Amino acid sequence: MGAQLRVYKRRIKAVSSTKKITKAMEMIAASRIVKAQRQVQASTPYARELTRAVTAVATGSNTKHPLTTEVDNPVRAAVLLLTSDRGLAGGYSSNAIKAADRLTERLRSEGKEVDTYVVGRKGVAYYGFRERPVVESWTGFTDKPSYSDAKTVAAPLIEAVQKDTAEGGVDELHIVFTEFVSMMTQQPVENRLLPLSLDEVAEKSAKEGEILPLYDFEPSAEDVLDALLPRYVESRIYNALLQAAASEHAARRRAMKSASDNAGELIKTLSRLANAARQAEITQEISEIVGGSSALADATAGSD
């Protein structure tokens, strides 16, 4: 019985140590969510206005440009997947990977080749374990991305868009990331960055009561679109990185809170079992003492 009590005490001590770690991680994630959320709110207006500017330039000219012109028969698409570098965030990375797999299957069913680009160690490990080809990958900044990280990620994608498909270029650029809706809701989404769907942007602006601005192009609309192309891709990727970072922190906070709560319940259960074992041990010791005392009394009476 004493051995069983020691086992319970060791388990209580181990679970208590784990609870301290998960509680600390929960608090760290909660403190980072606020900053990440502010960065998302600060970057979203810039990305939205840049998209409106591109739409205004494209609708106001007849210039054919990779940014706004759809290919009649697209043969290759690029998919950028954003995952996390660290785990302990529930189903955050797995949900994004599943969304990317669904998008890849849909694109292949349309007869397109898919080039995959991955951000985050979780995504890199997933594709590496399954021996799936990845054109390029980046790690080390998913929980705190900067604009320079977005430029690094965007550079090969912009180069692929500007190349001809016969030389390894792509006709479409898609991105899969986790959108931060609220502290409790984060959902994986897939967006087509290039070519930009002018009809969808115009329809959205009309619903919101916005009017696209009118521009004079100097020196030409094509030159303006050439200058806006990298800015547009970089800003959209940066906003997606920030959305993913905020979602990662929220998911990790929720997962660590659940782990801390479960650890607390387990400690209560183990404490009750330890108390029951201690009471059983005390009862057994009392029974042994009483039994020994009765045997001694019987032996003394027999000798008399």
Side-chain angles (χ1 to χ4, degrees):
M1 193 64 69
Q4 187 177 8
L5 181 59
R6 287 194 294 272
V7 170
Y8 287 138
K9 287 183 176 180
R10 282 199 298 268
R11 291 188 63 187
I12 290 173
K13 185 177 180 180
V15 175
S16 298
S17 299
T18 302
K19 183 180 178 181
K20 290 180 181 178
I21 296 173
T22 56
K23 191 66 176 178
M25 293 183 68
E26 176 190 348
M27 296 176 66
I28 292 172
S31 65
R32 290 179 176 176
I33 291 174
V34 178
K35 184 177 180 180
Q37 192 174 4
R38 289 175 181 171
Q39 289 179 321
V40 171
Q41 293 173 349
S43 68
T44 299
Y46 175 77
R48 185 188 300 115
E49 290 301 319
L50 189 56
T51 303
R52 292 180 68 244
V54 172
T55 305
V57 174
T59 54
S61 66
N62 296 322
T63 302
K64 291 186 177 181
H65 194 273
L67 186 59
T68 57
T69 305
E70 295 192 25
V71 180
D72 293 334
N73 296 309
V75 297
R76 183 179 290 113
V79 175
L80 174 62
L81 169 62
L82 305 186
T83 62
S84 64
D85 285 323
R86 297 185 294 132
L88 301 177
Y92 165 77
S93 292
S94 61
N95 291 335
I97 290 172
K98 290 177 183 177
D101 286 342
R102 289 193 297 268
L103 174 61
T104 300
E105 290 299 323
R106 178 171 63 82
L107 293 174
R108 286 175 177 168
S109 67
E110 296 173 356
K112 303 171 186 174
E113 298 180 17
V114 178
D115 292 343
T116 304
Y117 298 78
V118 181
V119 174
R121 291 190 178 92
K122 290 298 179 181
V124 173
Y126 176 86
Y127 281 86
F129 179 77
R130 288 159 180 78
E131 297 182 351
R132 297 184 183 180
V134 173
V135 177
E136 198 161 347
S137 60
W138 302 267
T139 59
F141 55 81
T142 59
D143 60 340
K144 193 177 180 181
S146 64
Y147 194 81
S148 61
D149 297 323
K151 292 182 68 174
T152 302
V153 174
L157 295 170
I158 296 172
E159 183 180 355
V161 170
Q162 293 174 336
K163 279 184 180 180
D164 189 70
T165 52
E167 300 175 355
V170 298
D171 298 316
E172 296 178 357
L173 172 58
H174 300 259
I175 184 171
V176 179
F177 64 99
T178 305
E179 182 182 19
F180 181 85
V181 180
S182 66
M183 296 289 285
M184 298 301 296
T185 305
Q186 303 86 41
Q187 57 187 12
V189 296
E190 54 182 67
N191 291 333
R192 191 181 75 174
L193 298 186
L194 295 175
L196 182 63
S197 180
L198 301 179
D199 294 335
E200 291 181 4
V201 177
E203 183 179 353
K204 185 177 179 181
S205 299
K207 287 182 179 179
E208 296 176 354
E210 297 179 351
I211 300 175
L212 292 176
L214 299 176
Y215 293 105
D216 290 329
F217 311 128
E218 181 66 33
S220 66
E222 185 176 1
D223 291 334
V224 173
L225 289 174
D226 285 338
L228 287 178
L229 173 61
R231 302 292 181 270
Y232 167 75
V233 176
E234 290 167 4
S235 66
R236 292 295 297 271
I237 291 178
Y238 180 53
N239 183 258
L241 286 171
L242 293 177
Q243 294 261 10
S247 300
E248 178 185 350
H249 294 316
R252 181 169 292 111
R253 174 188 172 276
R254 189 167 60 252
M256 291 300 98
K257 185 179 187 307
S258 178
S260 299
D261 294 341
N262 292 337
E265 292 297 325
L266 183 57
I267 290 173
K268 290 180 181 178
T269 302
L270 292 173
S271 298
R272 285 195 293 266
L273 292 174
N275 291 334
R278 185 182 299 107
Q279 291 173 0
E281 183 178 358
I282 294 173
T283 302
Q284 182 179 355
E285 290 178 355
I286 292 175
S287 299
E288 291 174 354
I289 293 173
V290 172
S293 177
S294 299
L296 182 59
D298 292 342
T300 302
S303 62
D304 293 341

